[in-house]
């Protein structure tokens, strides 16, 4: 990385740090303001867009090394209330990366096949291979969110009765912590993002979806139903973060009322993570170098023949 890039990496780290939670114990959701933009005001939006463009370029450079090195995989899980901007954030932040090295999996309501397995099963199938970035648009964390807010969903899972006791959430959190530790021990770097939207901004975005013909398709009547459970969701999110934010798999709780800001923080967090891996292009052995030289000579000799 050159000097300019190193400067950008330092800026990214400064941006991501206030929103990283790697020890859940003292975490309180009320400490994070969804409208926070650090020191940046609305009028800084154009500069923010420029910074994002630079960040996207840097991310692409990192991804190239991740792919070439073929040792680490990176899993990014996105969770949020409806209209918080998961899709747009994924689209913008990953816009520069090589599609060959990146895969997005969206997890919707589970199918009957999914429900016939343990709750991590379908996500486990979608894990990124070494050298790749895997994005989960929603994830196994739904199992501690929507399923907790709507206990009838738990009953649809047809778990054996004795396993549905009062400690089930504690057990799921513990299982998730262990699963993420396991992934981490196997070179899968896990980072989780909660795009934290205010209830007021969600209303504004829903109205926009209803009033703009090009956005009508994004609206679902179910979203309004879920909005009615707002407080239950916030409690579930807080408990989830308190119980699953760890050093190996931190949460980033990202203010989501301003899309331009959300995107910068997410890009910064990914850059911070990739930088921590000390990625390098593979160095070839002397023997391999000689093979390259021989191949070059063979090509050059073609002209002489
Ligand atoms: P999104 O809402 O993520 O932008 P979408 O609107 O295209 O995507 P939906 O059909 O709304 O897709 O699917 C997402 C829904 O699936 C969410 O309401 C989510 O709570 C639900 N869901 C995801 N995982 C689970 C799960 N494990 N159990 C029950 N419901 C789940
Ligand atoms: Mg939806």
């Amino acid at each position: 990385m050159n000097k300019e890039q190193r400067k950008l990496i330092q800026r990214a780290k400064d941006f991501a740090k206030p929103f990283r939670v790697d020890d859940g114990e003292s975490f309180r959701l009320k400490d994070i303001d969804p409208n926070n933009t650090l020191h940046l005001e609305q009028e800084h939006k154009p500069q923010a867009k420029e910074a994002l463009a630079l960040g996207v370029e840097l991310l692409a450079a990192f991804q190239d090394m991740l792919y070439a090195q073929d040792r680490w995989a990176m899993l990014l899980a996105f969770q949020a209330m409806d209209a918080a901007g998961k899709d747009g954030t994924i689209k913008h932040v990953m816009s520069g990366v090589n599609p060959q090295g990146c895969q997005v999996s969206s997890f919707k309501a589970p199918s009957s096949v999914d429900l016939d397995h343990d709750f991590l099963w379908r996500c486990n199938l979608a894990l990124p291979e070494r050298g790749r970035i895997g994005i989960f648009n929603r994830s196994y964390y739904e199992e501690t969110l929507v399923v907790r807010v709507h206990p009838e969903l738990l009953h649809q899972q047809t778990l054996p009765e004795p396993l549905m006791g009062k400690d089930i959430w504690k057990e799921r959190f513990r299982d998730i912590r262990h699963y993420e530790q396991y992934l981490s021990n196997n070179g899968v770097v896990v980072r989780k993002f909660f795009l934290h939207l205010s209830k007021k901004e969600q209303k504004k975005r829903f109205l926009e979806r209803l009033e703009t013909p090009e956005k009508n398709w994004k609206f679902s009547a179910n979203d309004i139903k879920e909005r009615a459970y707002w407080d239950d969701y916030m409690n579930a999110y807080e408990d989830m973060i308190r119980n699953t934010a760890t050093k190996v798999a931190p949460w980033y709780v990202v203010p989501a009322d301003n899309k331009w800001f959300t995107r910068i923080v997410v890009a910064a967090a990914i850059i911070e993570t990739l930088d921590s891996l000390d990625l390098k292009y593979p160095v070839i052995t002397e023997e391999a170098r000689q093979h390259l030289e021989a191949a070059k000579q063979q090509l050059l000799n073609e002209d002489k023949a």
Side-chain angles (χ1 to χ4, degrees):
M1 292 283 162
N2 62 36
K3 206 170 144 204
E4 277 305 298
Q5 287 172 317
R6 296 253 42 110
K7 246 168 66 189
L8 206 58
I9 292 167
Q10 190 50 52
R11 270 177 69 198
K13 285 183 180 169
D14 295 341
F15 247 97
K17 192 167 174 232
F19 307 108
R20 187 179 62 230
V21 185
D22 56 17
D23 177 5
E25 218 169 300
S26 59
F27 176 75
R28 288 283 180 274
L29 197 52
K30 66 171 173 37
D31 295 339
I32 308 285
D33 174 7
N35 197 27
N36 185 0
T37 53
L38 287 177
H39 51 284
L40 298 176
E41 305 292 334
Q42 283 292 342
E43 60 265 29
H44 287 108
K45 218 170 134 177
Q47 285 105 300
K49 277 197 165 159
E50 243 168 73
L52 180 63
L54 289 173
V56 165
E57 241 175 68
L58 185 56
L59 234 155
F62 270 125
Q63 188 221 9
D64 203 50
M65 285 195 277
L66 184 86
Y67 191 82
Q69 199 184 38
D70 202 17
R71 291 292 181 273
W72 298 99
M74 187 158 82
L75 174 62
L76 308 172
F78 287 86
Q79 289 293 155
M81 295 298 282
D82 287 302
K86 281 185 283 105
D87 293 18
T89 302
I90 294 167
K91 178 167 122 184
H92 281 87
V93 173
M94 304 312 283
S95 59
V97 306
N98 179 352
Q100 283 219 86
C102 182
Q103 63 217 42
V104 184
S105 311
S106 299
F107 295 99
K108 308 198 185 255
S111 69
S112 56
V113 177
D114 297 331
L115 288 174
D116 258 344
H117 291 85
D118 61 276
F119 80 87
L120 289 172
W121 179 77
R122 65 173 176 162
C123 292
N124 202 54
L125 286 179
L127 286 176
E129 297 156 44
R130 289 190 201 288
R132 286 165 208 255
I133 300 176
I135 293 175
F136 283 1
N137 186 347
R138 299 187 188 270
S139 65
Y140 44 85
Y141 279 105
E142 289 292 330
E143 294 286 338
T144 70
L145 295 167
V146 66
V147 181
R148 192 170 187 188
V149 171
H150 299 287
E152 65 276 16
L153 294 177
L154 187 63
H155 290 278
Q156 280 168 26
Q157 298 191 348
T158 57
L159 280 163
E161 197 61 40
L163 302 181
M164 287 202 282
K166 63 172 182 23
D167 284 339
I168 187 159
W169 307 114
K170 230 164 97 187
E171 284 157 5
R172 284 200 168 176
F173 289 140
R174 190 196 54 208
D175 291 340
I176 289 174
R177 281 197 306 272
H178 287 176
Y179 178 62
E180 291 175 348
Q181 176 69 64
Y182 162 82
L183 291 178
S184 162
N185 292 345
N186 283 277
V188 183
V189 182
V190 183
R191 295 294 182 266
K192 294 119 48 173
F193 296 88
F194 169 41
L195 308 191
H196 184 26
L197 181 75
S198 69
K199 195 174 179 189
K200 190 168 151 227
E201 179 66 21
Q202 190 196 49
K203 179 174 175 178
K204 195 174 140 215
R205 292 187 190 174
F206 279 172
L207 286 172
E208 240 170 67
R209 289 180 177 187
L210 289 164
E211 288 162 2
T212 318
E214 294 76 28
K215 290 190 177 174
N216 284 169
W217 66 273
K218 290 190 186 178
F219 184 79
S220 143
N222 197 48
D223 295 354
I224 296 270
K225 275 199 220 145
E226 289 312 297
R227 178 178 165 81
Y229 294 91
W230 189 273
D231 292 346
D232 294 342
Y233 270 109
M234 290 307 114
N235 288 334
Y237 268 109
E238 183 175 81
D239 206 34
M240 172 191 85
I241 293 165
R242 286 174 62 88
N243 281 282
T244 58
T246 61
K247 291 265 176 304
V248 292
W251 275 99
Y252 289 91
V253 181
V254 186
D257 278 8
N258 300 281
K259 290 179 180 172
W260 56 275
F261 187 72
T262 310
R263 291 166 190 172
I264 294 197
V265 174
V266 171
I270 303 173
I271 289 169
E272 159 175 89
T273 306
L274 287 166
D275 183 58
S276 72
L277 302 181
D278 195 23
L279 298 170
K280 287 188 180 69
Y281 285 104
V283 182
I284 61 164
T285 60
E286 179 53 27
E287 193 186 347
R289 203 192 56 73
Q290 281 174 16
H291 283 304
L292 293 184
E293 185 56 34
K296 181 178 156 190
Q297 286 311 323
Q298 195 178 340
L299 283 172
L300 293 174
N301 288 341
E302 271 180 11
D303 302 335
K304 295 180 192 153

